[in-house]
Amino acid sequence: MKLRVSAVQYHLHTIGSFDEFARQAEHYIKTAEEFSADFVLFPEFFTTQLMSIGTPEGRALTIQELPDFTEQYRKLFSGLARQTGMHIIGGTHVLRKGDRLYNVAHLFYPDGRIAEQAKLHITPTEVTEWNMTPGDGLEVFETDKGKIAMLTCYDIEFPEIVRMAKAKGADVIFCPSCTDDRHGFHRVRYCCHARAVENQVYIVTTGTVGSLPTVDFMRGNFGQAAVITPNDVPFPPRGILVEGEINDDMIVTADLDLELLYQVREKGSVTTWRDRRTDLYTDWN
């Protein structure tokens, strides 16, 4: 099984309407379509760009108001997925459920279905500044190109949750991210490499670039897309199939061969998944 993935280094800048947001999103999706991508990944929190639209009085919208765009967001990306025949991982969007806010990754299927995965590990800033609530369950999603999982940014820094995703059958982990400096970016990036080695899976990641000067906590962004592999002979020595130019507005594309994963799990230079010492530490089934 082979699949082609594209990852968007989404350029955040101030906009004046939802239509501007829609045109920018469609541009990236049409670009991925021209490359015949099966999946296209957007970053975490990229819909915070909608907060820059502001009010008639010139005030930026708050995180509490971002969920008001949910119906338009879902209609836009669901329609683009059906139109292009691609699976679109619409980064993350903030949902309101009851009186709580959740940072939720969305998978838009070509047939119109929409799947959700709430972020499971919430950073201190998300808690103290935006009062986010963590999700309470991990799902692995069936597609016609194999099983995938969506683990957002901070989630990838926890080995246990990626072990669980692999144990549930995921061969590709999509990791939408949003980091504001080099420290945060490299934390996520290095952990993506570690999780790929530990679990012998592909990891597709990307982040926001640009700036939203009127939106608190979105003024600085440091991002780069990458498609990451295990470090073994069938793959590039550095475990990088492709990566973008740091902080540029762009999209990267690469082909994933799932058969290579199965080969290295069975007879690679190392067989980290098979060699787990489950007699010494917890395993997940």
Side-chain angles (χ1 to χ4, degrees):
M1 177 75 73
K2 295 182 179 180
L3 59 148
R4 179 166 293 175
V5 297
S6 291
V8 176
Q9 293 183 191
Y10 190 94
H11 182 252
L12 292 175
H13 58 277
T14 300
I15 57 175
S17 67
F18 185 87
D19 285 344
E20 282 187 59
F21 170 80
R23 287 194 296 271
Q24 184 175 346
E26 184 174 9
H27 156 66
Y28 292 121
I29 290 168
K30 291 292 188 181
T31 303
E33 183 185 26
E34 289 175 359
F35 284 105
S36 301
D38 299 299
F39 290 81
V40 57
L41 172 68
F42 284 78
E44 177 187 29
F45 281 136
F46 82 114
T47 65
T48 56
Q49 187 181 38
L50 296 166
M51 295 162 63
S52 73
I53 295 172
T55 67
E57 298 74 34
R59 171 185 64 81
L61 301 177
T62 69
I63 198 70
Q64 292 289 337
E65 295 167 289
L66 185 54
D68 295 342
F69 291 98
T70 297
E71 184 176 347
Q72 290 170 279
Y73 159 78
R74 290 166 67 97
K75 181 179 179 181
L76 170 66
F77 282 92
S78 183
L80 288 169
R82 287 194 299 268
Q83 178 185 332
T84 61
M86 294 190 299
H87 300 77
I88 301 173
I89 298 173
T92 72
H93 178 64
V94 176
L95 300 185
R96 183 188 299 111
K97 298 184 179 181
D99 60 353
R100 296 186 175 186
L101 297 180
Y102 294 85
N103 184 9
V104 181
H106 287 69
L107 169 60
F108 297 91
Y109 284 88
D111 63 6
R113 287 176 293 150
I114 304 173
E116 298 177 3
Q117 174 64 66
K119 189 175 183 179
L120 301 172
H121 302 85
I122 305 299
T123 65
T125 297
E126 286 177 276
V127 174
T128 59
E129 303 298 340
W130 284 350
N131 197 30
M132 291 285 173
T133 298
D136 57 9
L138 170 72
E139 289 191 54
V140 165
F141 303 97
E142 293 269 7
T143 77
D144 60 6
K145 296 291 184 178
K147 292 184 179 181
I148 71 162
M150 299 184 292
L151 294 173
T152 300
C153 201
Y154 196 31
D155 283 340
I156 209 72
E157 298 181 32
F158 295 84
E160 298 87 351
I161 201 68
V162 187
R163 285 288 203 210
M164 291 175 69
K166 169 62 185 73
K168 288 174 175 281
D171 288 321
V172 184
I173 310 294
F174 287 91
C175 180
S177 183
C178 174
T179 51
D180 59 3
D181 60 16
R182 290 170 174 82
H183 297 84
F185 165 75
H186 284 103
R187 276 197 305 271
V188 173
R189 179 60 180 270
Y190 293 153
C191 287
C192 285
H193 284 277
R195 304 296 88 85
V197 170
E198 292 161 354
N199 299 287
Q200 297 178 296
V201 295
Y202 290 111
I203 299 195
V204 185
T205 185
T206 196
T208 46
V209 304
S211 179
L212 297 176
T214 63
V215 179
D216 292 343
F217 310 110
M218 294 301 296
R219 292 183 174 86
N221 291 271
F222 192 96
Q224 182 187 39
V227 179
I228 297 167
T229 74
N231 294 79
D232 212 332
V233 173
F235 305 109
R238 294 173 59 233
I240 302 169
L241 276 181
V242 68
E243 60 185 346
E245 298 296 325
I246 290 176
N247 289 335
D248 276 1
D249 176 2
M250 65 182 300
I251 185 169
V252 301
T253 300
D255 290 331
L256 309 185
D257 187 341
L258 300 185
E259 181 60 32
L260 294 181
L261 292 180
Y262 309 148
Q263 290 176 13
V264 297
R265 289 172 192 165
E266 179 62 29
K267 53 183 180 181
S269 302
V270 292
T271 49
T272 46
W273 178 256
R274 189 176 65 201
D275 293 340
R276 290 164 296 142
R277 285 293 304 275
T278 55
D279 57 320
L280 297 178
Y281 45 77
T282 305
D283 190 28
W284 295 270
N285 296 313

